[in-house]
Amino acid sequence: SLLYLEAEEKLVKNYFTLIITAGGIVKNGDKTLFIFRKGKWDLPKGKIDKGETLEGAALREVEEECGIKDLKLISYNTKTYHVYFDNGLPILKETYWYNMTSHQDENLKPQIEEDITELKWVKRENFNEILNNTYPSIKEIISAQS
C-alpha cells in the first residue's frame, strides 16, 4: 500500500545520509570510457554542486575526472543506488546516469586528486576485464548496454 511505501521511505531516509551524484556512460563509436579508481573499474560521476542541474553535474564531473573536452550529452540512461559506510555512517548514494559521446581518443587526463589513476576506452567484447573488477551497480549498467 502507499502508506507502507511512505513509511518505508521515511525509515530509509532517517537511517541513511543520501548523496545524489550524476555521471556519464561515454561512448566513442563502439567503445565506452572507464576510469580506474581505488583499485576498481568505474564510470565517471560525482556530487552535484548547489544550484547545478543533474545534466550539468554529469557533464562537469566527466570533464573533470577524465580531462575530456569533446563531450556531448545525448540522453538520460538510468538511476542506480549503492550503500557504503563513511566513518561508520551509512551512506545511500543515488546516481543519475546519462548517455554521452566524445570523439576525443587522446590527451585524456585522469583526475589524480580524485584517486583516478587510469582511463580506458573499452570495446564491448572486452567488457569482461571491467566486469571482473567493478561494483554491482556498474555491472548493472554494463550488462544493459547494447
Side-chain angles (χ1 to χ4, degrees):
S1 80
L2 188 58
L3 192 60
Y4 176 76
L5 287 174
E6 286 174 4
E8 197 173 71
E9 186 178 328
K10 194 177 276 188
L11 260 175
V12 168
K13 286 181 176 172
N14 286 338
Y15 181 73
F16 291 100
T17 298
L18 178 66
I19 294 179
I20 299 172
T21 63
I25 303 158
V26 185
K27 300 276 190 184
N28 182 349
D30 62 349
K31 298 174 290 207
T32 303
L33 184 60
F34 290 93
I35 66 173
F36 196 71
R37 179 191 343 225
K38 297 182 179 176
K40 289 195 180 282
W41 289 106
D42 203 348
L43 291 167
K45 67 180 172 310
K47 292 179 189 165
I48 294 150
D49 289 342
K50 191 173 173 71
E52 196 172 34
T53 64
L54 291 167
E55 294 89 348
L59 282 165
R60 177 186 52 75
E61 284 291 343
V62 173
E63 287 173 357
E64 287 175 2
E65 292 191 348
C66 303
I68 201 164
K69 299 287 178 242
D70 170 32
L71 194 59
K72 184 178 178 192
L73 190 142
I74 305 299
S75 60
Y76 171 77
N77 183 296
T78 191
K79 180 169 48 170
T80 60
Y81 293 92
H82 77 273
V83 173
Y84 63 97
F85 289 87
D86 186 14
N87 292 323
L89 295 173
I91 309 292
L92 175 64
K93 187 179 278 187
E94 178 179 72
T95 303
Y96 291 81
W97 295 101
Y98 293 88
N99 298 312
M100 300 179 185
T101 60
S102 175
H103 299 291
Q104 185 178 336
D105 266 337
E106 298 171 4
N107 301 320
L108 298 176
K109 187 177 183 296
Q111 191 178 21
I112 303 295
E113 55 271 28
E114 287 290 332
D115 299 314
I116 302 166
T117 54
E118 189 181 346
L119 303 169
K120 187 190 277 194
W121 288 107
V122 181
K123 290 187 175 189
R124 180 151 184 72
E125 59 263 27
N126 299 322
F127 276 2
N128 274 351
E129 177 191 354
I130 306 298
L131 288 168
N132 288 333
N133 187 21
T134 191
Y135 303 98
S137 60
I138 302 301
K139 284 183 183 178
E140 273 180 49
I141 292 169
I142 293 172
S143 299
Q145 298 302 299
S146 55

